[in-house]
Amino acid sequence: MKGMGVAPAGCDMADTGHHHLLIDNDELPPPDQPMGGDIQHFDKGQTQTMVTLPPGEHTLLLILGDKDHIPHDPPVLSEQIKVTVEE
């Protein structure tokens, strides 16, 4: 979706949100509940990070959450990518 901005959690601005990273998770979070659990939150509005993964194949997907960590409706997300971490 075009026209979305990145803002810290708690920032109540239209068409903004902050990233949440799903690692090795094929299911999207519930659309009407705050994201939690093993989902990595970038609640300060970060757009970069370093992720350490064990050797093997992994999937990564970003999903934008609103000021309360709730996914937008419809969801704003990246394509899922596959990475291979070598020993």
Side-chain angles (χ1 to χ4, degrees):
M1 175 179 272
K2 292 183 178 183
M4 296 296 292
V6 176
C11 184
D12 193 10
M13 293 175 49
D15 300 324
T16 65
H18 60 280
H19 293 105
H20 297 78
L21 178 62
L22 284 68
I23 301 173
D24 298 331
N25 189 338
D26 291 330
E27 293 184 25
L28 291 178
D32 57 351
Q33 297 176 19
M35 290 180 268
D38 59 353
I39 297 173
Q40 290 190 13
H41 296 258
F42 299 95
D43 56 356
K44 294 179 183 164
Q46 305 97 305
T47 58
Q48 299 181 53
T49 192
M50 293 273 294
V51 177
T52 302
L53 299 169
E57 293 191 3
H58 300 278
T59 59
L60 305 173
L61 181 127
L62 285 171
I63 182 168
L64 210 61
D66 70 8
K67 66 182 180 68
D68 298 317
H69 304 280
I70 297 173
H72 291 275
D73 184 19
V76 178
L77 46 96
S78 70
E79 289 185 35
Q80 186 180 60
I81 63 168
K82 292 182 181 182
V83 297
T84 301
V85 177
E86 296 180 358
E87 291 187 40

Short mmCIF file of all heavy atoms in Angstrom, two decimals, residues 16-87:
data_model
loop_
_atom_site.label_atom_id
_atom_site.label_comp_id
_atom_site.label_asym_id
_atom_site.label_seq_id
_atom_site.Cartn_x
_atom_site.Cartn_y
_atom_site.Cartn_z
N THR A 16 -0.41 5.87 9.35
CA THR A 16 0.92 5.55 9.86
C THR A 16 0.86 4.28 10.69
O THR A 16 -0.21 3.80 11.06
CB THR A 16 1.50 6.67 10.75
OG1 THR A 16 0.71 6.80 11.93
CG2 THR A 16 1.57 8.00 10.02
N GLY A 17 2.02 3.77 11.00
CA GLY A 17 2.13 2.61 11.86
C GLY A 17 3.59 2.30 12.09
O GLY A 17 4.48 3.04 11.66
N HIS A 18 3.84 1.21 12.78
CA HIS A 18 5.22 0.77 13.01
C HIS A 18 5.32 -0.71 12.66
O HIS A 18 4.34 -1.43 12.67
CB HIS A 18 5.66 1.06 14.45
CG HIS A 18 4.83 0.39 15.48
ND1 HIS A 18 3.60 0.88 15.89
CD2 HIS A 18 5.02 -0.76 16.18
CE1 HIS A 18 3.08 0.07 16.80
NE2 HIS A 18 3.93 -0.94 17.00
N HIS A 19 6.54 -1.12 12.32
CA HIS A 19 6.76 -2.47 11.82
C HIS A 19 6.73 -3.53 12.92
O HIS A 19 7.11 -3.27 14.06
CB HIS A 19 8.13 -2.55 11.11
CG HIS A 19 8.20 -1.76 9.87
ND1 HIS A 19 8.87 -0.56 9.79
CD2 HIS A 19 7.68 -1.97 8.63
CE1 HIS A 19 8.76 -0.08 8.57
NE2 HIS A 19 8.06 -0.91 7.85
N HIS A 20 6.32 -4.70 12.51
CA HIS A 20 6.36 -5.91 13.32
C HIS A 20 6.93 -7.00 12.41
O HIS A 20 6.49 -7.14 11.27
CB HIS A 20 4.96 -6.31 13.80
CG HIS A 20 4.34 -5.29 14.69
ND1 HIS A 20 3.77 -4.14 14.19
CD2 HIS A 20 4.22 -5.23 16.03
CE1 HIS A 20 3.31 -3.42 15.21
NE2 HIS A 20 3.58 -4.06 16.33
N LEU A 21 7.92 -7.73 12.90
CA LEU A 21 8.60 -8.73 12.09
C LEU A 21 8.18 -10.13 12.52
O LEU A 21 8.35 -10.50 13.68
CB LEU A 21 10.12 -8.58 12.23
CG LEU A 21 10.99 -9.60 11.48
CD1 LEU A 21 10.76 -9.51 9.97
CD2 LEU A 21 12.46 -9.36 11.82
N LEU A 22 7.63 -10.87 11.58
CA LEU A 22 7.26 -12.27 11.81
C LEU A 22 8.37 -13.14 11.26
O LEU A 22 8.70 -13.06 10.08
CB LEU A 22 5.95 -12.61 11.12
CG LEU A 22 4.65 -12.11 11.76
CD1 LEU A 22 4.52 -10.61 11.68
CD2 LEU A 22 3.46 -12.77 11.12
N ILE A 23 8.96 -13.96 12.12
CA ILE A 23 10.04 -14.86 11.73
C ILE A 23 9.52 -16.30 11.82
O ILE A 23 9.04 -16.71 12.88
CB ILE A 23 11.27 -14.69 12.64
CG1 ILE A 23 11.78 -13.25 12.56
CG2 ILE A 23 12.36 -15.69 12.27
CD1 ILE A 23 12.88 -12.94 13.56
N ASP A 24 9.61 -17.01 10.72
CA ASP A 24 9.18 -18.41 10.66
C ASP A 24 7.74 -18.59 11.15
O ASP A 24 7.42 -19.53 11.87
CB ASP A 24 10.13 -19.31 11.48
CG ASP A 24 11.54 -19.29 10.95
OD1 ASP A 24 11.70 -19.09 9.73
OD2 ASP A 24 12.48 -19.48 11.74
N ASN A 25 6.88 -17.68 10.74
CA ASN A 25 5.48 -17.72 11.15
C ASN A 25 4.63 -17.57 9.90
O ASN A 25 4.63 -16.52 9.27
CB ASN A 25 5.19 -16.58 12.14
CG ASN A 25 3.84 -16.69 12.78
OD1 ASN A 25 2.95 -17.33 12.24
ND2 ASN A 25 3.67 -16.04 13.90
N ASP A 26 3.91 -18.63 9.54
CA ASP A 26 3.11 -18.61 8.32
C ASP A 26 1.71 -18.03 8.50
O ASP A 26 0.99 -17.84 7.54
CB ASP A 26 3.00 -20.02 7.73
CG ASP A 26 4.32 -20.50 7.19
OD1 ASP A 26 5.13 -19.67 6.74
OD2 ASP A 26 4.55 -21.73 7.20
N GLU A 27 1.33 -17.75 9.75
CA GLU A 27 -0.02 -17.22 10.00
C GLU A 27 0.06 -15.75 10.37
O GLU A 27 0.89 -15.34 11.17
CB GLU A 27 -0.68 -17.99 11.15
CG GLU A 27 -0.97 -19.43 10.82
CD GLU A 27 -1.72 -20.13 11.96
OE1 GLU A 27 -2.39 -19.44 12.74
OE2 GLU A 27 -1.60 -21.36 12.04
N LEU A 28 -0.84 -14.96 9.78
CA LEU A 28 -0.93 -13.56 10.16
C LEU A 28 -1.57 -13.45 11.54
O LEU A 28 -2.40 -14.28 11.92
CB LEU A 28 -1.77 -12.78 9.15
CG LEU A 28 -1.15 -12.61 7.76
CD1 LEU A 28 -2.12 -11.86 6.85
CD2 LEU A 28 0.17 -11.88 7.84
N PRO A 29 -1.20 -12.42 12.30
CA PRO A 29 -1.82 -12.24 13.61
C PRO A 29 -3.30 -11.89 13.46
O PRO A 29 -3.73 -11.42 12.40
CB PRO A 29 -1.04 -11.08 14.22
CG PRO A 29 -0.34 -10.42 13.09
CD PRO A 29 -0.20 -11.42 11.99
N PRO A 30 -4.09 -12.11 14.50
CA PRO A 30 -5.52 -11.75 14.43
C PRO A 30 -5.67 -10.28 14.06
O PRO A 30 -4.93 -9.43 14.56
CB PRO A 30 -6.04 -12.01 15.84
CG PRO A 30 -5.06 -12.97 16.44
CD PRO A 30 -3.73 -12.67 15.81
N PRO A 31 -6.63 -9.97 13.19
CA PRO A 31 -6.74 -8.60 12.68
C PRO A 31 -7.26 -7.57 13.67
O PRO A 31 -7.13 -6.38 13.44
CB PRO A 31 -7.71 -8.74 11.51
CG PRO A 31 -8.51 -9.95 11.85
CD PRO A 31 -7.59 -10.87 12.60
N ASP A 32 -7.83 -8.00 14.77
CA ASP A 32 -8.45 -7.04 15.69
C ASP A 32 -7.83 -7.07 17.09
O ASP A 32 -8.43 -6.59 18.04
CB ASP A 32 -9.95 -7.33 15.79
CG ASP A 32 -10.24 -8.76 16.24
OD1 ASP A 32 -9.30 -9.58 16.32
OD2 ASP A 32 -11.41 -9.05 16.52
N GLN A 33 -6.62 -7.63 17.20
CA GLN A 33 -5.95 -7.73 18.50
C GLN A 33 -4.53 -7.21 18.40
O GLN A 33 -3.89 -7.34 17.35
CB GLN A 33 -5.93 -9.18 18.97
CG GLN A 33 -7.29 -9.76 19.20
CD GLN A 33 -7.19 -11.25 19.57
OE1 GLN A 33 -6.15 -11.73 19.98
NE2 GLN A 33 -8.28 -11.96 19.41
N PRO A 34 -4.00 -6.65 19.49
CA PRO A 34 -2.60 -6.21 19.46
C PRO A 34 -1.67 -7.39 19.18
O PRO A 34 -1.90 -8.51 19.65
CB PRO A 34 -2.36 -5.67 20.87
CG PRO A 34 -3.72 -5.36 21.40
CD PRO A 34 -4.66 -6.34 20.75
N MET A 35 -0.63 -7.13 18.40
CA MET A 35 0.34 -8.17 18.09
C MET A 35 1.27 -8.36 19.28
O MET A 35 1.66 -7.40 19.93
CB MET A 35 1.13 -7.79 16.84
CG MET A 35 0.29 -7.85 15.58
SD MET A 35 1.21 -7.41 14.09
CE MET A 35 0.86 -5.66 14.00
N GLY A 36 1.59 -9.60 19.57
CA GLY A 36 2.47 -9.90 20.69
C GLY A 36 3.17 -11.20 20.46
O GLY A 36 3.39 -11.62 19.33
N GLY A 37 3.51 -11.86 21.54
CA GLY A 37 4.14 -13.17 21.44
C GLY A 37 5.53 -13.09 20.85
O GLY A 37 6.33 -12.26 21.24
N ASP A 38 5.78 -13.94 19.87
CA ASP A 38 7.11 -14.01 19.30
C ASP A 38 7.33 -13.05 18.13
O ASP A 38 8.30 -13.16 17.39
CB ASP A 38 7.41 -15.45 18.86
CG ASP A 38 6.42 -15.97 17.82
OD1 ASP A 38 5.42 -15.28 17.55
OD2 ASP A 38 6.65 -17.07 17.30
N ILE A 39 6.45 -12.10 17.96
CA ILE A 39 6.58 -11.11 16.90
C ILE A 39 7.49 -9.99 17.42
O ILE A 39 7.29 -9.47 18.51
CB ILE A 39 5.21 -10.53 16.50
CG1 ILE A 39 4.33 -11.64 15.92
CG2 ILE A 39 5.37 -9.39 15.51
CD1 ILE A 39 2.90 -11.23 15.64
N GLN A 40 8.50 -9.63 16.63
CA GLN A 40 9.41 -8.56 17.03
C GLN A 40 8.78 -7.21 16.71
O GLN A 40 8.34 -6.97 15.59
CB GLN A 40 10.75 -8.70 16.33
CG GLN A 40 11.54 -9.88 16.81
CD GLN A 40 12.96 -9.86 16.27
OE1 GLN A 40 13.44 -8.87 15.73
NE2 GLN A 40 13.66 -10.97 16.41
N HIS A 41 8.75 -6.34 17.72
CA HIS A 41 8.14 -5.02 17.58
C HIS A 41 9.21 -3.95 17.37
O HIS A 41 10.23 -3.97 18.03
CB HIS A 41 7.36 -4.65 18.84
CG HIS A 41 6.21 -5.55 19.11
ND1 HIS A 41 4.92 -5.20 18.83
CD2 HIS A 41 6.16 -6.80 19.62
CE1 HIS A 41 4.12 -6.20 19.17
NE2 HIS A 41 4.85 -7.17 19.64
N PHE A 42 8.93 -3.03 16.47
CA PHE A 42 9.80 -1.89 16.24
C PHE A 42 9.01 -0.64 16.62
O PHE A 42 8.71 0.21 15.79
CB PHE A 42 10.29 -1.88 14.79
CG PHE A 42 11.08 -3.12 14.47
CD1 PHE A 42 10.48 -4.21 13.89
CD2 PHE A 42 12.42 -3.20 14.80
CE1 PHE A 42 11.20 -5.37 13.61
CE2 PHE A 42 13.15 -4.35 14.53
CZ PHE A 42 12.54 -5.43 13.94
N ASP A 43 8.67 -0.58 17.91
CA ASP A 43 7.71 0.43 18.39
C ASP A 43 8.27 1.84 18.50
O ASP A 43 7.54 2.77 18.80
CB ASP A 43 7.07 -0.01 19.70
CG ASP A 43 8.07 -0.32 20.79
OD1 ASP A 43 9.29 -0.29 20.54
OD2 ASP A 43 7.62 -0.61 21.91
N LYS A 44 9.55 2.02 18.21
CA LYS A 44 10.10 3.37 18.19
C LYS A 44 10.11 3.93 16.77
O LYS A 44 10.65 5.00 16.52
CB LYS A 44 11.52 3.37 18.77
CG LYS A 44 11.52 3.03 20.25
CD LYS A 44 12.92 3.01 20.81
CE LYS A 44 12.85 2.58 22.27
NZ LYS A 44 14.15 2.19 22.78
N GLY A 45 9.55 3.17 15.85
CA GLY A 45 9.50 3.59 14.45
C GLY A 45 10.75 3.22 13.67
O GLY A 45 10.99 3.75 12.58
N GLN A 46 11.53 2.26 14.19
CA GLN A 46 12.75 1.85 13.50
C GLN A 46 12.45 1.29 12.11
O GLN A 46 11.43 0.66 11.91
CB GLN A 46 13.50 0.77 14.29
CG GLN A 46 13.83 1.11 15.71
CD GLN A 46 12.82 0.54 16.69
OE1 GLN A 46 11.63 0.80 16.57
NE2 GLN A 46 13.28 -0.20 17.68
N THR A 47 13.39 1.52 11.20
CA THR A 47 13.26 0.97 9.85
C THR A 47 14.44 0.08 9.49
O THR A 47 14.53 -0.39 8.35
CB THR A 47 13.14 2.10 8.81
OG1 THR A 47 14.28 2.95 8.91
CG2 THR A 47 11.86 2.91 9.03
N GLN A 48 15.34 -0.16 10.46
CA GLN A 48 16.47 -1.05 10.25
C GLN A 48 16.71 -1.86 11.51
O GLN A 48 16.40 -1.40 12.61
CB GLN A 48 17.76 -0.26 9.99
CG GLN A 48 17.73 0.60 8.76
CD GLN A 48 19.06 1.32 8.59
OE1 GLN A 48 20.11 0.69 8.59
NE2 GLN A 48 19.00 2.62 8.44
N THR A 49 17.27 -3.05 11.34
CA THR A 49 17.64 -3.87 12.49
C THR A 49 18.64 -4.93 12.05
O THR A 49 18.84 -5.13 10.85
CB THR A 49 16.40 -4.54 13.13
OG1 THR A 49 16.77 -5.09 14.39
CG2 THR A 49 15.84 -5.64 12.24
N MET A 50 19.23 -5.59 13.01
CA MET A 50 20.07 -6.77 12.77
C MET A 50 19.35 -7.93 13.44
O MET A 50 18.91 -7.80 14.59
CB MET A 50 21.45 -6.60 13.39
CG MET A 50 22.29 -5.52 12.76
SD MET A 50 23.24 -6.07 11.34
CE MET A 50 24.38 -7.20 12.04
N VAL A 51 19.21 -9.02 12.73
CA VAL A 51 18.54 -10.20 13.25
C VAL A 51 19.52 -11.36 13.22
O VAL A 51 20.15 -11.61 12.20
CB VAL A 51 17.28 -10.55 12.42
CG1 VAL A 51 16.62 -11.81 12.93
CG2 VAL A 51 16.30 -9.40 12.43
N THR A 52 19.65 -12.05 14.34
CA THR A 52 20.50 -13.23 14.41
C THR A 52 19.60 -14.46 14.39
O THR A 52 18.71 -14.59 15.24
CB THR A 52 21.36 -13.23 15.69
OG1 THR A 52 22.14 -12.03 15.71
CG2 THR A 52 22.26 -14.44 15.75
N LEU A 53 19.84 -15.33 13.42
CA LEU A 53 19.03 -16.54 13.26
C LEU A 53 19.94 -17.75 13.28
O LEU A 53 21.09 -17.68 12.81
CB LEU A 53 18.27 -16.49 11.93
CG LEU A 53 17.29 -15.34 11.74
CD1 LEU A 53 16.82 -15.29 10.29
CD2 LEU A 53 16.12 -15.48 12.68
N PRO A 54 19.45 -18.87 13.76
CA PRO A 54 20.26 -20.09 13.72
C PRO A 54 20.40 -20.58 12.27
O PRO A 54 19.59 -20.22 11.41
CB PRO A 54 19.45 -21.09 14.56
CG PRO A 54 18.06 -20.58 14.53
CD PRO A 54 18.14 -19.09 14.40
N PRO A 55 21.41 -21.40 12.01
CA PRO A 55 21.58 -21.95 10.66
C PRO A 55 20.31 -22.66 10.18
O PRO A 55 19.59 -23.26 10.97
CB PRO A 55 22.74 -22.94 10.82
CG PRO A 55 23.50 -22.44 12.00
CD PRO A 55 22.47 -21.87 12.92
N GLY A 56 20.06 -22.55 8.88
CA GLY A 56 18.89 -23.19 8.29
C GLY A 56 18.08 -22.21 7.47
O GLY A 56 18.47 -21.06 7.27
N GLU A 57 16.92 -22.66 7.02
CA GLU A 57 16.03 -21.82 6.22
C GLU A 57 15.02 -21.13 7.13
O GLU A 57 14.53 -21.72 8.09
CB GLU A 57 15.32 -22.67 5.17
CG GLU A 57 16.26 -23.20 4.12
CD GLU A 57 15.52 -23.81 2.94
OE1 GLU A 57 14.28 -23.77 2.90
OE2 GLU A 57 16.22 -24.32 2.05
N HIS A 58 14.73 -19.88 6.80
CA HIS A 58 13.80 -19.08 7.60
C HIS A 58 12.94 -18.23 6.67
O HIS A 58 13.32 -17.95 5.54
CB HIS A 58 14.57 -18.15 8.54
CG HIS A 58 15.45 -18.87 9.50
ND1 HIS A 58 14.98 -19.42 10.67
CD2 HIS A 58 16.77 -19.17 9.45
CE1 HIS A 58 15.97 -20.01 11.29
NE2 HIS A 58 17.08 -19.87 10.57
N THR A 59 11.78 -17.82 7.18
CA THR A 59 10.92 -16.88 6.46
C THR A 59 10.81 -15.61 7.28
O THR A 59 10.82 -15.64 8.51
CB THR A 59 9.51 -17.46 6.20
OG1 THR A 59 8.89 -17.78 7.45
CG2 THR A 59 9.58 -18.69 5.32
N LEU A 60 10.72 -14.48 6.58
CA LEU A 60 10.58 -13.16 7.21
C LEU A 60 9.44 -12.42 6.54
O LEU A 60 9.29 -12.46 5.32
CB LEU A 60 11.87 -12.35 7.05
CG LEU A 60 13.16 -12.98 7.53
CD1 LEU A 60 14.35 -12.11 7.13
CD2 LEU A 60 13.13 -13.18 9.03
N LEU A 61 8.64 -11.74 7.35
CA LEU A 61 7.53 -10.95 6.83
C LEU A 61 7.33 -9.76 7.75
O LEU A 61 7.33 -9.91 8.98
CB LEU A 61 6.24 -11.77 6.77
CG LEU A 61 5.03 -11.04 6.22
CD1 LEU A 61 4.40 -11.85 5.10
CD2 LEU A 61 4.02 -10.80 7.30
N LEU A 62 7.16 -8.58 7.17
CA LEU A 62 6.85 -7.37 7.94
C LEU A 62 5.37 -7.07 7.83
O LEU A 62 4.78 -7.19 6.75
CB LEU A 62 7.63 -6.16 7.40
CG LEU A 62 9.10 -6.08 7.73
CD1 LEU A 62 9.75 -4.95 6.93
CD2 LEU A 62 9.31 -5.85 9.22
N ILE A 63 4.79 -6.66 8.95
CA ILE A 63 3.40 -6.20 8.95
C ILE A 63 3.34 -4.92 9.76
O ILE A 63 3.98 -4.79 10.80
CB ILE A 63 2.43 -7.28 9.50
CG1 ILE A 63 0.98 -6.80 9.43
CG2 ILE A 63 2.82 -7.71 10.90
CD1 ILE A 63 -0.05 -7.89 9.68
N LEU A 64 2.60 -3.95 9.25
CA LEU A 64 2.48 -2.65 9.92
C LEU A 64 1.35 -2.71 10.94
O LEU A 64 0.26 -3.22 10.65
CB LEU A 64 2.19 -1.58 8.87
CG LEU A 64 2.69 -0.17 9.14
CD1 LEU A 64 4.20 -0.13 9.26
CD2 LEU A 64 2.23 0.77 8.04
N GLY A 65 1.64 -2.22 12.13
CA GLY A 65 0.62 -2.13 13.17
C GLY A 65 0.33 -0.68 13.49
O GLY A 65 1.19 0.19 13.32
N ASP A 66 -0.86 -0.40 13.96
CA ASP A 66 -1.23 0.97 14.30
C ASP A 66 -0.63 1.37 15.65
O ASP A 66 0.20 0.66 16.22
CB ASP A 66 -2.74 1.16 14.27
CG ASP A 66 -3.49 0.45 15.39
OD1 ASP A 66 -2.85 -0.09 16.32
OD2 ASP A 66 -4.74 0.45 15.35
N LYS A 67 -1.06 2.50 16.18
CA LYS A 67 -0.52 3.02 17.44
C LYS A 67 -0.66 2.05 18.60
O LYS A 67 0.09 2.11 19.56
CB LYS A 67 -1.19 4.35 17.79
CG LYS A 67 -2.67 4.22 18.11
CD LYS A 67 -3.28 5.58 18.41
CE LYS A 67 -4.74 5.48 18.72
NZ LYS A 67 -5.03 4.80 19.96
N ASP A 68 -1.60 1.13 18.50
CA ASP A 68 -1.86 0.16 19.56
C ASP A 68 -1.38 -1.25 19.21
O ASP A 68 -1.81 -2.22 19.82
CB ASP A 68 -3.36 0.12 19.88
CG ASP A 68 -3.86 1.45 20.40
OD1 ASP A 68 -3.18 2.07 21.23
OD2 ASP A 68 -4.95 1.88 19.96
N HIS A 69 -0.52 -1.38 18.19
CA HIS A 69 0.03 -2.66 17.73
C HIS A 69 -1.01 -3.54 17.02
O HIS A 69 -0.81 -4.73 16.86
CB HIS A 69 0.65 -3.48 18.87
CG HIS A 69 1.72 -2.76 19.63
ND1 HIS A 69 3.00 -2.65 19.18
CD2 HIS A 69 1.67 -2.12 20.82
CE1 HIS A 69 3.71 -1.98 20.07
NE2 HIS A 69 2.94 -1.64 21.06
N ILE A 70 -2.12 -2.98 16.61
CA ILE A 70 -3.17 -3.74 15.92
C ILE A 70 -2.94 -3.62 14.41
O ILE A 70 -2.72 -2.51 13.90
CB ILE A 70 -4.57 -3.22 16.31
CG1 ILE A 70 -4.79 -3.44 17.81
CG2 ILE A 70 -5.67 -3.89 15.48
CD1 ILE A 70 -6.05 -2.82 18.36
N PRO A 71 -2.98 -4.75 13.68
CA PRO A 71 -2.78 -4.67 12.23
C PRO A 71 -3.83 -3.78 11.56
O PRO A 71 -4.97 -3.72 12.00
CB PRO A 71 -2.96 -6.12 11.76
CG PRO A 71 -2.72 -6.96 12.97
CD PRO A 71 -3.19 -6.13 14.13
N HIS A 72 -3.40 -3.09 10.52
CA HIS A 72 -4.34 -2.26 9.76
C HIS A 72 -5.34 -3.17 9.04
O HIS A 72 -5.10 -4.36 8.83
CB HIS A 72 -3.59 -1.40 8.75
CG HIS A 72 -2.76 -0.34 9.38
ND1 HIS A 72 -3.25 0.89 9.73
CD2 HIS A 72 -1.45 -0.33 9.75
CE1 HIS A 72 -2.30 1.62 10.28
NE2 HIS A 72 -1.19 0.90 10.31
N ASP A 73 -6.46 -2.60 8.64
CA ASP A 73 -7.49 -3.34 7.92
C ASP A 73 -7.79 -2.59 6.63
O ASP A 73 -8.35 -1.50 6.68
CB ASP A 73 -8.75 -3.46 8.76
CG ASP A 73 -9.82 -4.31 8.09
OD1 ASP A 73 -9.48 -5.07 7.16
OD2 ASP A 73 -11.00 -4.20 8.49
N PRO A 74 -7.38 -3.10 5.48
CA PRO A 74 -6.73 -4.39 5.25
C PRO A 74 -5.27 -4.35 5.71
O PRO A 74 -4.69 -3.27 5.85
CB PRO A 74 -6.82 -4.58 3.73
CG PRO A 74 -6.86 -3.19 3.18
CD PRO A 74 -7.59 -2.36 4.22
N PRO A 75 -4.67 -5.53 5.94
CA PRO A 75 -3.30 -5.56 6.44
C PRO A 75 -2.32 -4.91 5.46
O PRO A 75 -2.46 -5.03 4.25
CB PRO A 75 -2.98 -7.04 6.58
CG PRO A 75 -4.21 -7.79 6.27
CD PRO A 75 -5.23 -6.86 5.73
N VAL A 76 -1.35 -4.20 6.03
CA VAL A 76 -0.26 -3.60 5.25
C VAL A 76 0.96 -4.44 5.54
O VAL A 76 1.47 -4.43 6.67
CB VAL A 76 -0.05 -2.13 5.65
CG1 VAL A 76 1.12 -1.53 4.87
CG2 VAL A 76 -1.32 -1.32 5.45
N LEU A 77 1.39 -5.23 4.55
CA LEU A 77 2.49 -6.15 4.81
C LEU A 77 3.39 -6.31 3.61
O LEU A 77 3.02 -5.98 2.49
CB LEU A 77 1.97 -7.52 5.27
CG LEU A 77 0.81 -8.14 4.49
CD1 LEU A 77 1.31 -9.10 3.47
CD2 LEU A 77 -0.08 -8.87 5.49
N SER A 78 4.59 -6.81 3.89
CA SER A 78 5.56 -7.07 2.83
C SER A 78 5.28 -8.43 2.22
O SER A 78 4.46 -9.20 2.73
CB SER A 78 6.97 -7.06 3.41
OG SER A 78 7.17 -8.20 4.26
N GLU A 79 6.01 -8.73 1.16
CA GLU A 79 6.01 -10.10 0.67
C GLU A 79 6.84 -10.91 1.64
O GLU A 79 7.79 -10.40 2.24
CB GLU A 79 6.65 -10.17 -0.72
CG GLU A 79 5.81 -9.56 -1.81
CD GLU A 79 6.44 -9.77 -3.17
OE1 GLU A 79 7.06 -10.84 -3.41
OE2 GLU A 79 6.30 -8.87 -4.01
N GLN A 80 6.47 -12.16 1.84
CA GLN A 80 7.28 -13.03 2.69
C GLN A 80 8.52 -13.44 1.91
O GLN A 80 8.42 -13.79 0.73
CB GLN A 80 6.49 -14.26 3.11
CG GLN A 80 7.23 -15.13 4.09
CD GLN A 80 6.42 -16.35 4.49
OE1 GLN A 80 6.06 -17.15 3.65
NE2 GLN A 80 6.12 -16.44 5.77
N ILE A 81 9.68 -13.34 2.55
CA ILE A 81 10.90 -13.77 1.90
C ILE A 81 11.48 -14.98 2.63
O ILE A 81 11.21 -15.19 3.81
CB ILE A 81 11.96 -12.65 1.82
CG1 ILE A 81 12.41 -12.21 3.22
CG2 ILE A 81 11.44 -11.48 1.01
CD1 ILE A 81 13.63 -11.32 3.20
N LYS A 82 12.27 -15.75 1.90
CA LYS A 82 12.96 -16.89 2.48
C LYS A 82 14.46 -16.58 2.48
O LYS A 82 14.98 -16.06 1.48
CB LYS A 82 12.70 -18.17 1.68
CG LYS A 82 11.27 -18.64 1.78
CD LYS A 82 11.06 -19.92 1.01
CE LYS A 82 9.60 -20.36 1.10
NZ LYS A 82 9.37 -21.63 0.42
N VAL A 83 15.10 -16.88 3.60
CA VAL A 83 16.55 -16.71 3.70
C VAL A 83 17.15 -18.01 4.20
O VAL A 83 16.50 -18.77 4.91
CB VAL A 83 16.93 -15.55 4.64
CG1 VAL A 83 16.42 -14.22 4.10
CG2 VAL A 83 16.43 -15.78 6.06
N THR A 84 18.41 -18.24 3.83
CA THR A 84 19.14 -19.39 4.32
C THR A 84 20.35 -18.89 5.08
O THR A 84 21.14 -18.11 4.55
CB THR A 84 19.59 -20.31 3.16
OG1 THR A 84 18.43 -20.74 2.44
CG2 THR A 84 20.35 -21.51 3.68
N VAL A 85 20.46 -19.30 6.33
CA VAL A 85 21.59 -18.93 7.17
C VAL A 85 22.55 -20.13 7.17
O VAL A 85 22.16 -21.24 7.50
CB VAL A 85 21.14 -18.61 8.61
CG1 VAL A 85 22.35 -18.30 9.49
CG2 VAL A 85 20.13 -17.47 8.62
N GLU A 86 23.77 -19.85 6.75
CA GLU A 86 24.77 -20.91 6.70
C GLU A 86 25.55 -20.94 8.00
O GLU A 86 25.69 -19.94 8.69
CB GLU A 86 25.71 -20.70 5.53
CG GLU A 86 24.97 -20.79 4.19
CD GLU A 86 25.87 -20.60 2.99
OE1 GLU A 86 27.08 -20.34 3.17
OE2 GLU A 86 25.36 -20.70 1.87
N GLU A 87 26.09 -22.12 8.32
CA GLU A 87 26.90 -22.27 9.54
C GLU A 87 28.21 -21.56 9.40
O GLU A 87 28.76 -21.37 8.39
CB GLU A 87 27.13 -23.75 9.84
CG GLU A 87 25.84 -24.41 10.27
CD GLU A 87 26.09 -25.84 10.72
OE1 GLU A 87 27.08 -26.12 11.41
OE2 GLU A 87 25.25 -26.68 10.39
#
